[in-house]
Amino acid sequence: MGSMTDSTSQVPAEDSAPASMAERVEGRSRRPDSDAFREFMGSGWGPRDASLPEREAVAGFLPARAAAAGEPFPGERLVVPAGTYKVRNNDCTYRFRAYSAFAHLSGLGAEKEPDSVLVLEPRADGPHEAVLFFKPRASRTSQEFYADARYGEFWVGARPSLDEVSAATGLRCEHIDTLRDALAKDAGQVGLRVVRGVDEQVERMVNEVRSEAGLADGEDARGADEEFEERLSEIRLRKDPFEIGELTRAVEVTRAGFDDILRALPRAVGHRRGERVIEGAFGAVAREEGNGLGYDTIAAAGDHANTLHWIDNDGPVHEGDLVLVDAGVEVDSLYTADITRTLPVSGRFTEVQARVYQAVLDACEAALARANEPGTRFRDVHDAAMRVIAARLEEWGLLPVSAEEALSPAGQQHRRWMPHGTSHHLGLDVHDCAQARREMYQDALLEPGMCFTIEPGLYFRADDMMVPEEYRGIGVRIEDDVVVGDDGRVVRLSESIPRTIADVEAWIASAQGR
């Protein structure tokens, strides 16, 4: 039906002045404005449930996250907006999804809470305290209750109260209307940093307070603000037990989505846009069992698999094709899986497809084995996979130089057929912790709690005259999600999702009742 607007306001007089653009949008509504209507709308409602929600599992981890985020910034007030709605078209917005650092520090998932702000308040006798500022539900005697399409209960359902969110999260909660006063308290004696680019109004408010207090603001404060954003990214490099549990759940639901893809493959073959059939099968599970997709699904059949970010998904699926599916469910806590499987549409790999697939699988295994060696750095995982890829390309006679030469910094010819990285961190973002410094990410030693992907591939485009014709149009990627355990061992969270040639073929047969 789309987003509605209130359709009950009075029609303006014909001789009134021309309406502004904003007024024209609002002019579609015809809401009565009489005292009698307002009184009638505010009366006759039953009592609300006065019970408070139970404390959520994530609540016990929030104080440690706040302490870690604020540790480098004693005596400074740190501001993390949730973000706001983004316009899709005209007066329709996309579903709200909070800025990831806000979700991490507040514990709020799903579509909670737009236009909110989390403030890390400095304390002289301990770590920062996380204080959540948001707009609670209004009284049913207020005009907001029935007339406000952004917050009104008639439009978007009952918003939580301050006490309800505090009970669920363990955080101190305050009305968003008090935010400016809270930011201005002792400003000058207390520093102020904000995450930029998330909420323009909050950013503007922070800069006004900084300017009035004689603090650096605007571009003069950019370095300090970005240092804070960097910190928020780096504290998520190592996941706590709650996060690992949510990632495990995301992988489990993603497996269910792939099961439905296999059942839909026969229908995809007969559809003019079979890739959309695959995308839709997975998307239904993502929405039914989680918050939705962690990112746009790649459902790439045949040569489309050689376009790394193929998300149009508008092509046919033919018997004999491979279809590369890169998909992940984002669960309600906003943690996402990221899994890729390359599937033979007919249920069986051809000899050439199997040759390419096995090479990629061997690269996966080499990367995991390297991750389990003591003293491994994040970048070493990629290097281990590339050694296998280069060796196979040399064996098949595709490299213009030896594998050893290709692997040298001055070579890299093998990257023609494997142009992307092998791993990235995973969590609230599919490419998690992207603002972290290189020494904390690529150059860092693997440590317990790190969750990341292993995803080598081989891509032979249909128009690649550097490879024999039998390889052209074949694209293979295999991607698993892994975690470093407390004992330092790296294990696949996605172990239950078939990946060997024999297991993939058996998986398809079982799903389709063959």
Side-chain angles (χ1 to χ4, degrees), residues 373-390:
E373 294 179 12
T376 296
R377 297 186 183 276
F378 189 81
R379 64 171 183 264
D380 298 335
V381 177
H382 172 79
D383 293 343
M386 289 306 94
R387 282 193 287 274
V388 173
I389 293 296

mmCIF file of all heavy atoms in Angstrom, residues 373-390:
data_model
loop_
_atom_site.group_PDB
_atom_site.id
_atom_site.type_symbol
_atom_site.label_atom_id
_atom_site.label_comp_id
_atom_site.label_asym_id
_atom_site.label_seq_id
_atom_site.Cartn_x
_atom_site.Cartn_y
_atom_site.Cartn_z
ATOM 1 N N GLU A 373 47.792 -21.295 12.474
ATOM 2 C CA GLU A 373 49.198 -21.329 12.857
ATOM 3 C C GLU A 373 49.509 -20.205 13.841
ATOM 4 O O GLU A 373 49.008 -19.087 13.687
ATOM 5 C CB GLU A 373 50.086 -21.188 11.610
ATOM 6 C CG GLU A 373 49.991 -22.371 10.652
ATOM 7 C CD GLU A 373 50.861 -22.177 9.425
ATOM 8 O OE1 GLU A 373 51.702 -21.252 9.428
ATOM 9 O OE2 GLU A 373 50.681 -22.938 8.447
ATOM 10 N N PRO A 374 50.317 -20.464 14.862
ATOM 11 C CA PRO A 374 50.659 -19.414 15.828
ATOM 12 C C PRO A 374 51.320 -18.232 15.138
ATOM 13 O O PRO A 374 52.079 -18.381 14.176
ATOM 14 C CB PRO A 374 51.640 -20.121 16.774
ATOM 15 C CG PRO A 374 51.348 -21.580 16.621
ATOM 16 C CD PRO A 374 50.926 -21.764 15.186
ATOM 17 N N GLY A 375 50.995 -17.035 15.627
ATOM 18 C CA GLY A 375 51.629 -15.834 15.105
ATOM 19 C C GLY A 375 51.086 -15.362 13.775
ATOM 20 O O GLY A 375 51.702 -14.490 13.129
ATOM 21 N N THR A 376 49.929 -15.866 13.369
ATOM 22 C CA THR A 376 49.361 -15.465 12.085
ATOM 23 C C THR A 376 48.752 -14.070 12.180
ATOM 24 O O THR A 376 48.039 -13.750 13.133
ATOM 25 C CB THR A 376 48.280 -16.457 11.635
ATOM 26 O OG1 THR A 376 48.891 -17.734 11.401
ATOM 27 C CG2 THR A 376 47.586 -15.994 10.362
ATOM 28 N N ARG A 377 49.038 -13.262 11.170
ATOM 29 C CA ARG A 377 48.412 -11.952 11.044
ATOM 30 C C ARG A 377 47.269 -12.043 10.039
ATOM 31 O O ARG A 377 47.229 -12.937 9.200
ATOM 32 C CB ARG A 377 49.433 -10.891 10.619
ATOM 33 C CG ARG A 377 50.534 -10.706 11.660
ATOM 34 C CD ARG A 377 51.477 -9.562 11.327
ATOM 35 N NE ARG A 377 52.550 -9.499 12.324
ATOM 36 C CZ ARG A 377 52.448 -8.872 13.495
ATOM 37 N NH1 ARG A 377 51.319 -8.231 13.807
ATOM 38 N NH2 ARG A 377 53.447 -8.878 14.349
ATOM 39 N N PHE A 378 46.354 -11.102 10.135
ATOM 40 C CA PHE A 378 45.162 -11.144 9.299
ATOM 41 C C PHE A 378 45.525 -11.232 7.819
ATOM 42 O O PHE A 378 44.928 -12.002 7.069
ATOM 43 C CB PHE A 378 44.301 -9.905 9.577
ATOM 44 C CG PHE A 378 42.947 -9.948 8.936
ATOM 45 C CD1 PHE A 378 41.906 -10.658 9.510
ATOM 46 C CD2 PHE A 378 42.711 -9.289 7.736
ATOM 47 C CE1 PHE A 378 40.656 -10.698 8.909
ATOM 48 C CE2 PHE A 378 41.463 -9.325 7.136
ATOM 49 C CZ PHE A 378 40.430 -10.030 7.720
ATOM 50 N N ARG A 379 46.515 -10.469 7.408
ATOM 51 C CA ARG A 379 46.893 -10.446 5.988
ATOM 52 C C ARG A 379 47.440 -11.795 5.519
ATOM 53 O O ARG A 379 47.400 -12.111 4.327
ATOM 54 C CB ARG A 379 47.929 -9.350 5.735
ATOM 55 C CG ARG A 379 49.248 -9.569 6.448
ATOM 56 C CD ARG A 379 50.310 -8.577 6.002
ATOM 57 N NE ARG A 379 51.585 -8.851 6.647
ATOM 58 C CZ ARG A 379 52.022 -8.242 7.736
ATOM 59 N NH1 ARG A 379 51.264 -7.308 8.319
ATOM 60 N NH2 ARG A 379 53.203 -8.548 8.269
ATOM 61 N N ASP A 380 47.967 -12.613 6.433
ATOM 62 C CA ASP A 380 48.551 -13.901 6.060
ATOM 63 C C ASP A 380 47.510 -14.871 5.527
ATOM 64 O O ASP A 380 47.835 -15.785 4.751
ATOM 65 C CB ASP A 380 49.255 -14.536 7.262
ATOM 66 C CG ASP A 380 50.419 -13.695 7.787
ATOM 67 O OD1 ASP A 380 50.984 -12.921 6.996
ATOM 68 O OD2 ASP A 380 50.736 -13.814 8.988
ATOM 69 N N VAL A 381 46.260 -14.705 5.952
ATOM 70 C CA VAL A 381 45.189 -15.600 5.505
ATOM 71 C C VAL A 381 45.006 -15.456 3.994
ATOM 72 O O VAL A 381 44.882 -16.446 3.265
ATOM 73 C CB VAL A 381 43.884 -15.278 6.259
ATOM 74 C CG1 VAL A 381 42.733 -16.142 5.752
ATOM 75 C CG2 VAL A 381 44.074 -15.470 7.773
ATOM 76 N N HIS A 382 44.995 -14.226 3.518
ATOM 77 C CA HIS A 382 44.887 -13.982 2.079
ATOM 78 C C HIS A 382 46.082 -14.566 1.337
ATOM 79 O O HIS A 382 45.922 -15.216 0.288
ATOM 80 C CB HIS A 382 44.786 -12.478 1.822
ATOM 81 C CG HIS A 382 44.867 -12.093 0.379
ATOM 82 N ND1 HIS A 382 43.797 -12.207 -0.481
ATOM 83 C CD2 HIS A 382 45.898 -11.602 -0.361
ATOM 84 C CE1 HIS A 382 44.149 -11.798 -1.691
ATOM 85 N NE2 HIS A 382 45.420 -11.431 -1.645
ATOM 86 N N ASP A 383 47.273 -14.339 1.870
ATOM 87 C CA ASP A 383 48.480 -14.814 1.189
ATOM 88 C C ASP A 383 48.470 -16.327 1.018
ATOM 89 O O ASP A 383 48.893 -16.858 -0.018
ATOM 90 C CB ASP A 383 49.722 -14.382 1.966
ATOM 91 C CG ASP A 383 49.921 -12.869 1.955
ATOM 92 O OD1 ASP A 383 49.304 -12.192 1.099
ATOM 93 O OD2 ASP A 383 50.685 -12.362 2.801
ATOM 94 N N ALA A 384 47.964 -17.039 2.039
ATOM 95 C CA ALA A 384 47.912 -18.504 1.956
ATOM 96 C C ALA A 384 46.971 -18.950 0.843
ATOM 97 O O ALA A 384 47.268 -19.891 0.090
ATOM 98 C CB ALA A 384 47.469 -19.084 3.293
ATOM 99 N N ALA A 385 45.837 -18.300 0.722
ATOM 100 C CA ALA A 385 44.894 -18.650 -0.343
ATOM 101 C C ALA A 385 45.495 -18.363 -1.714
ATOM 102 O O ALA A 385 45.325 -19.148 -2.659
ATOM 103 C CB ALA A 385 43.591 -17.876 -0.157
ATOM 104 N N MET A 386 46.213 -17.245 -1.822
ATOM 105 C CA MET A 386 46.766 -16.864 -3.124
ATOM 106 C C MET A 386 47.855 -17.824 -3.592
ATOM 107 O O MET A 386 48.033 -18.039 -4.790
ATOM 108 C CB MET A 386 47.315 -15.438 -3.069
ATOM 109 C CG MET A 386 46.241 -14.361 -2.962
ATOM 110 S SD MET A 386 44.960 -14.463 -4.259
ATOM 111 C CE MET A 386 43.713 -15.439 -3.423
ATOM 112 N N ARG A 387 48.573 -18.424 -2.664
ATOM 113 C CA ARG A 387 49.588 -19.397 -3.057
ATOM 114 C C ARG A 387 48.956 -20.588 -3.771
ATOM 115 O O ARG A 387 49.494 -21.101 -4.761
ATOM 116 C CB ARG A 387 50.395 -19.845 -1.842
ATOM 117 C CG ARG A 387 51.448 -18.820 -1.403
ATOM 118 C CD ARG A 387 52.422 -19.423 -0.406
ATOM 119 N NE ARG A 387 51.802 -19.604 0.898
ATOM 120 C CZ ARG A 387 51.750 -18.650 1.834
ATOM 121 N NH1 ARG A 387 52.262 -17.450 1.603
ATOM 122 N NH2 ARG A 387 51.185 -18.893 2.999
ATOM 123 N N VAL A 388 47.810 -21.016 -3.282
ATOM 124 C CA VAL A 388 47.107 -22.128 -3.932
ATOM 125 C C VAL A 388 46.563 -21.693 -5.292
ATOM 126 O O VAL A 388 46.696 -22.419 -6.289
ATOM 127 C CB VAL A 388 45.970 -22.647 -3.031
ATOM 128 C CG1 VAL A 388 45.128 -23.688 -3.770
ATOM 129 C CG2 VAL A 388 46.545 -23.234 -1.743
ATOM 130 N N ILE A 389 45.945 -20.529 -5.342
ATOM 131 C CA ILE A 389 45.369 -20.040 -6.598
ATOM 132 C C ILE A 389 46.451 -19.914 -7.666
ATOM 133 O O ILE A 389 46.283 -20.370 -8.815
ATOM 134 C CB ILE A 389 44.667 -18.683 -6.375
ATOM 135 C CG1 ILE A 389 43.435 -18.851 -5.476
ATOM 136 C CG2 ILE A 389 44.295 -18.035 -7.703
ATOM 137 C CD1 ILE A 389 42.329 -19.694 -6.050
ATOM 138 N N ALA A 390 47.580 -19.317 -7.308
ATOM 139 C CA ALA A 390 48.664 -19.143 -8.282
ATOM 140 C C ALA A 390 49.208 -20.493 -8.751
ATOM 141 O O ALA A 390 49.503 -20.680 -9.944
ATOM 142 C CB ALA A 390 49.774 -18.294 -7.677
#
